[in-house]
Amino acid sequence: MKKLNIYFTAGVPNLDDTGKVAQLIQDSGADMMEIGIPYSDPVADGPVIQDAHILALKNGMTIAKLFEQLAAIKDSVTIPKVLMGYINPVLQFGFENFCKKCQEVGVSGLIIPDLPAYEFEKQYGAILKKYQINFSFLVTPETSEERIKYLDSLSSRFLYAVSSSSTTGNANATLKNDAYLDRLASLNLKNPVFIGFGIKNKQDFQSVTEKAQGGIIGTAFVKILLENKNWESEAKDFICSII
């Protein structure tokens, strides 16, 4: 069974909607979720998710507030919850303190695109292990086989394979890069491979998961939260249409 991972930005459309969105994702049948920590300079993200970050910060979202919201849904939302963010706000919060809070509120994994692998190995991997928090590195079609294997060896739960070298939600992303997907499938990686960036519908999801174990949908879902007054029914229908 291929895994569906839905991304959304915390604190969108309104500050207190985080728990509601998380519950909806679980109730609609997704296998796991990525919750974006709003940041003023989200370099890996395209315009839609950048807009979501700006709105969430305007709404007053902070890491401390997010942990409060996650604590409130710890017992009701039980599918894996992964936090995705950038290293600066995490360091400001205190890396070990952040991991400790993740464990307390039921967060099972982290994705920090701008944390270098050598720093992870030298400094942060042991802290993540101490608090039993998984970590997923990103690879792209340009990543060498040697480096893919190295990043896979450092990752736990899944390896995040970016569909093409672009930002999230890029309409020009090459979604079905067969040579790349074949290469990943041939490497006998330790972790399941999840494909992200550019998946907009069921056809896209089925296409990328022919050779990977899961797909990550972010921009198409966040767009619904930003643009629809009755986002709850729209978002539920969207997830159900993928599965």
Side-chain angles (χ1 to χ4, degrees), residues 17-38:
D17 285 334
T18 308
K20 206 187 285 185
V21 177
Q23 189 72 54
L24 181 149
I25 290 170
Q26 175 174 277
D27 293 350
S28 302
D31 299 290
M32 59 189 296
M33 67 185 73
E34 275 172 35
I35 303 169
I37 302 167

